[in-house]
Amino acid sequence: MDQEFYDQTALNAARFTQIPDTKKLFLPGGQPPAVGSTFRNPDLAETYRTLADRGVDWFYRGGLGREVARTVTNPPVTPGTRTVRPGFMTAADLASYTAPFRPPTRVGYRGMDVYGMAPPSSGGSTVGEALNILENVELSRKNPVQALHHYLEASKLAYADRAAYVGDVNVPLRELLSEGYAKERSCLISPGTALVAPVAAGNPDGSYGRCPKPAGAARPLGYEGPQTTNLVVSDTWGNVVAYTLTIEQFGGSGLTVPGRGFLLNNELTDFSFVPSPTDPNSLAPGKRPRSSMAPTILLRNGRPLLAVGSPGGSTIITTVLQILLNRLDLGMSLPAAVAAPRATQRNTAATLAEQPFIDRYGPALTAKGQKLELFTGPPPTIGAATGLEFLTRSLVQAVAEPQRRHGGTALVVDPG
């Protein structure tokens, strides 16, 4: 148990106490296990063993799927403590579910290929569009304030398009990631004066001219939970995985499948719940909610160079984008790029920033019209990234947060 796991468990203690299997797992003796103690989950170990023996059909079409559906439709809550409304998931829903392979998004940036997660995640499209916009500007490590100003402006524009076009619908992905559209959007940015946010979306119609008028009104940001997990890993042959998963908010739904050792998520809260026929993320049968997961891999000359990702809900995108800016344009090492103070501009009236960012860049950015306010969370930090970089073909640098969320874990395993 590290401090972060302890804090998240303590934050959820009140509702975990009311769900017998969750209380038994996470609150033995009525309290979160002490920091430094060993957390054991024998139910989950047995679930993994059975899954390995029986295969994934046991989950989608077998007994485990029926147990999941039963937990949703008949929530196992201690009588008299709270009311949890039953859900509507059935075993047939799991049996008909598919996890399709989706080709990654791809853009070029500073001579590198940047690959990301395709819709209905908005990570790859939004990071990619922002990088395309920034490609039209010469950014220098000698002028970090100017680079950060353009980073914030590109984020405003990309998030405006995210809200207008990205969801589990027919996303105009090719046009959103086209160089012509990026040039059209970038011409709205002034090097000395910030755009007043929220800005309206553009019109990725394939016909691009000089600074056309924005297409309609801006959309609100919407809610997205912060409890996401990210890891990156490479093997001895240079294969790379960037992997992001989520249960939405801290503790997910709070419901542990009895005897199975895992929580169910509440990911449906990522939908937009204000009815709108023009909202690409509106709630509808058969749709998947939009996420901001942004596992990102960079290739140089066809070989992996860098991989990075983060938790943080809708701040994931800006976290990954700012790390890439720090590393590729401002000349920081990857550890420094991850550790640097952050700001997140998601097409909102004010840019939310960590206090060290405000202290270092606030006056200079305010002079350009940027409005900065303190990011308070929870948690009180923006993102919690992990990354790796190939310094040579045989030398890999593994990087995690030194302080955010009590610090992450980065290891290089040498079997020799």
Side-chain angles (χ1 to χ4, degrees), residues 105-108 114 123-133 176-177 321:
T105 62
R106 175 190 169 277
V107 298
V114 183
S125 63
T126 311
V127 170
E129 181 184 345
L131 288 175
N132 279 345
I133 292 171
L176 286 174
L177 296 180
L321 182 60

Side-chain angles (χ1 to χ4, degrees), residues 266-282:
N266 58 344
E267 180 67 24
L268 291 181
T269 55
D270 270 2
F271 276 118
S272 301
F273 285 97
V274 178
S276 171
T278 61
D279 189 337
N281 194 40
S282 60

Side-chain angles (χ1 to χ4, degrees), residues 133-304:
I133 292 171
L134 291 172
E135 184 93 73
N136 290 282
V137 184
E138 185 176 345
L139 305 177
S140 170
R141 68 184 68 182
K142 296 180 180 179
N143 194 347
V145 170
Q146 192 65 33
L148 290 168
H149 170 72
H150 279 89
Y151 152 68
L152 297 176
E153 297 298 275
S155 296
K156 290 176 187 176
L157 297 168
Y159 268 85
D161 292 334
R162 168 187 181 269
Y165 300 114
V166 181
D168 194 8
V169 293
N170 294 320
V171 179
L173 187 62
R174 180 175 179 178
E175 295 303 326
L176 286 174
L177 296 180
S178 68
E179 293 181 4
Y181 185 59
K183 289 181 180 178
E184 185 175 274
R185 295 297 269 163
S186 67
C187 73
L188 298 172
I189 299 176
S190 165
T193 306
L195 293 164
V196 178
V199 300
N203 188 12
D205 59 359
S207 178
Y208 306 122
R210 294 186 177 181
C211 295
K213 293 182 179 180
R219 292 186 179 277
L221 178 63
Y223 170 80
E224 190 171 340
Q227 186 44 35
T228 308
T229 300
N230 185 83
L231 64 89
V232 295
V233 64
S234 66
D235 64 16
T236 190
W237 299 279
N239 299 301
V240 177
V241 171
Y243 177 47
T244 311
L245 64 151
T246 186
I247 61 170
E248 180 59 3
Q249 75 179 75
F250 292 110
S253 67
L255 295 171
T256 298
V257 179
R260 293 302 176 191
F262 61 87
L263 288 160
L264 299 181
N265 68 55
N266 58 344
E267 180 67 24
L268 291 181
T269 55
D270 270 2
F271 276 118
S272 301
F273 285 97
V274 178
S276 171
T278 61
D279 189 337
N281 194 40
S282 60
L283 183 67
K287 286 184 71 172
R288 302 164 199 252
R290 178 178 63 206
S291 82
S292 295
M293 293 186 285
T296 303
I297 298 177
L298 275 66
L299 272 62
R300 183 167 59 192
N301 299 324
R303 297 184 63 87

